[in-house]
Amino acid sequence: VRKNKLREEFAVVKSVFAEADKVKKAKDAKESVDGVNDYFVSNPETEFLVRVLNVGSNTKAIAQAITHVKGLKNKSALLLAVDTDAGKVALQSVVAKEHIDKGLKANEWAQIVAGLTGGKSGGKEDAAQGSGSDTTKVEEAVLAAQTYAKKFVV
């Protein structure tokens, strides 16, 4: 009898936790998309963005922000998420066709960041993703990614 009561209590706590986690992830995704959109609205002449999103290990938030950038004309982005507790860096990039024609490739762009953060990446010219494990190198990787993109996109 007591075991069943504990199971029921655990199920309630687990359900509350899962719901709170779901709400937080949805909020992270919305804030990420809004932040990227606000950046491009405030800086219409800027054609690319390299940014660390404050979403921890929520890779779906990065994916939704990247999907939003895909819908913008002549815009490219490389977005990162850092989970210092887990020692993980996640990244995704998307490159507009106009920028591919100028030489910017998503897979090469992602490889710069993944390489500096001790990880791997893969993808195609228009979209790539990757991960790393050295969270201390994120700032350096962001600067390297910006420098790389500036070679092709002014």
Side-chain angles (χ1 to χ4, degrees):
V1 174
R2 183 179 156 110
K3 217 184 229 186
N4 283 342
K5 184 167 174 60
L6 288 173
R7 282 189 184 129
E8 289 170 6
E9 288 175 8
F10 177 73
V12 169
V13 170
K14 184 177 174 183
S15 144
V16 168
F17 177 79
E19 185 60 31
D21 188 50
K22 184 177 170 184
V23 168
K24 182 188 180 318
K25 286 182 177 180
K27 181 180 174 230
D28 286 348
K30 182 177 181 344
E31 288 175 357
S32 297
V33 170
D34 290 348
V36 167
N37 190 57
D38 292 348
Y39 175 81
F40 283 123
V41 168
S42 300
N43 303 286
E45 73 290 342
T46 303
E47 295 185 22
F48 75 91
L49 171 65
V50 177
R51 177 177 284 179
V52 177
L53 302 176
N54 188 23
V55 295
S57 61
N58 185 355
T59 55
K60 287 187 179 180
I62 301 175
Q64 287 184 7
I66 286 292
T67 299
H68 178 73
V69 174
K70 282 182 188 177
L72 301 176
K73 186 177 180 193
N74 201 29
K75 303 293 183 191
S76 299
L78 188 146
L79 305 175
L80 302 96
V82 180
D83 185 345
T84 51
D85 293 337
K88 292 182 180 179
V89 178
L91 66 107
Q92 290 190 22
S93 62
V94 64
V95 176
K97 172 145 179 32
E98 297 85 352
H99 299 156
I100 294 170
D101 294 343
K102 292 179 181 179
L104 181 62
K105 312 275 193 270
N107 53 347
E108 294 171 3
W109 203 14
Q111 180 54 47
I112 289 169
V113 175
L116 285 170
T117 58
K120 296 180 180 178
S121 68
K124 298 181 181 180
E125 293 181 343
D126 63 334
Q129 62 184 12
S131 63
S133 57
D134 190 348
T135 59
T136 65
K137 299 283 188 180
V138 169
E139 192 173 314
E140 179 184 342
V142 167
L143 292 173
Q146 290 171 335
T147 301
Y148 179 77
K150 286 177 186 174
K151 288 188 215 174
F152 305 102
V153 182
V154 180

